[in-house]
Amino acid sequence: YQRRVRGKYPIRRKINANMYSAFDGTLLRDLEHIDSTVTVLSTFNNGGLEMLYKNKYQAAPATGEKSFIVNIGKLVDDLIDNKVPSVRHRVAEVDFDRYSITYFLGPQFDAVISRSMTGK
């Protein structure tokens, strides 16, 4: 449930009650996924973001107010021949209003992305 307040961003007031992880049964706010390109994210010290590492979800580092998390997506991973892996991540449900800001970065629509940087 979200509501829009006069020109501001939507605020969700209701906690999910039925979106559980197929991986480990954790109650989720956002499903497990891998981004497609590059995501720059600030969580402003809000918890909930988790990343899959060595077959276990772990809390992402807090960003504070002056730092960011840069997440490499699958398309970038493929383009650079898996030199920097994309990371499966999710947002676990929390009992407070969680704020974050994301910026999604992708190639131009006419970019040639049929081969990796090494030609593979």
Side-chain angles (χ1 to χ4, degrees):
Y1 164 76
Q2 293 183 353
R3 68 181 176 93
R4 190 169 290 277
V5 181
R6 275 199 244 151
K8 293 185 178 181
Y9 294 103
I11 299 171
R12 190 173 70 171
R13 298 283 185 202
K14 185 177 178 184
I15 292 179
N16 286 330
N18 61 357
M19 188 166 58
Y20 291 91
S21 166
F23 184 82
D24 62 5
T26 298
L27 182 61
L28 300 177
R29 182 169 280 207
D30 191 14
L31 290 173
E32 297 147 343
H33 64 282
I34 295 174
D35 292 342
S36 58
T37 55
V38 175
T39 305
V40 180
L41 169 74
S42 180
T43 62
F44 302 105
N45 291 322
N46 291 304
L49 180 62
E50 299 177 344
M51 299 178 185
L52 187 62
Y53 180 70
K54 294 187 177 181
N55 208 34
K56 182 180 178 187
Y57 274 99
Q58 300 182 25
T63 61
E65 294 182 10
K66 296 183 179 182
S67 58
F68 296 93
I69 293 172
V70 177
N71 191 13
I72 302 298
K74 184 64 178 145
L75 175 63
V76 176
D77 185 8
D78 291 344
L79 287 172
I80 59 175
D81 295 318
N82 304 312
K83 301 291 184 198
V84 178
S86 53
V87 176
R88 178 171 285 280
H89 56 282
R90 67 186 185 186
V91 178
E93 187 59 80
V94 292
D95 61 355
F96 54 86
D97 289 339
R98 184 182 182 282
Y99 297 94
S100 62
I101 294 178
T102 56
Y103 177 76
F104 299 101
L105 182 67
Q108 291 180 279
F109 289 110
D110 61 349
V112 177
I113 57 173
S114 61
R115 290 181 290 170
S116 71
M117 293 178 69
T118 60
K120 294 180 183 177

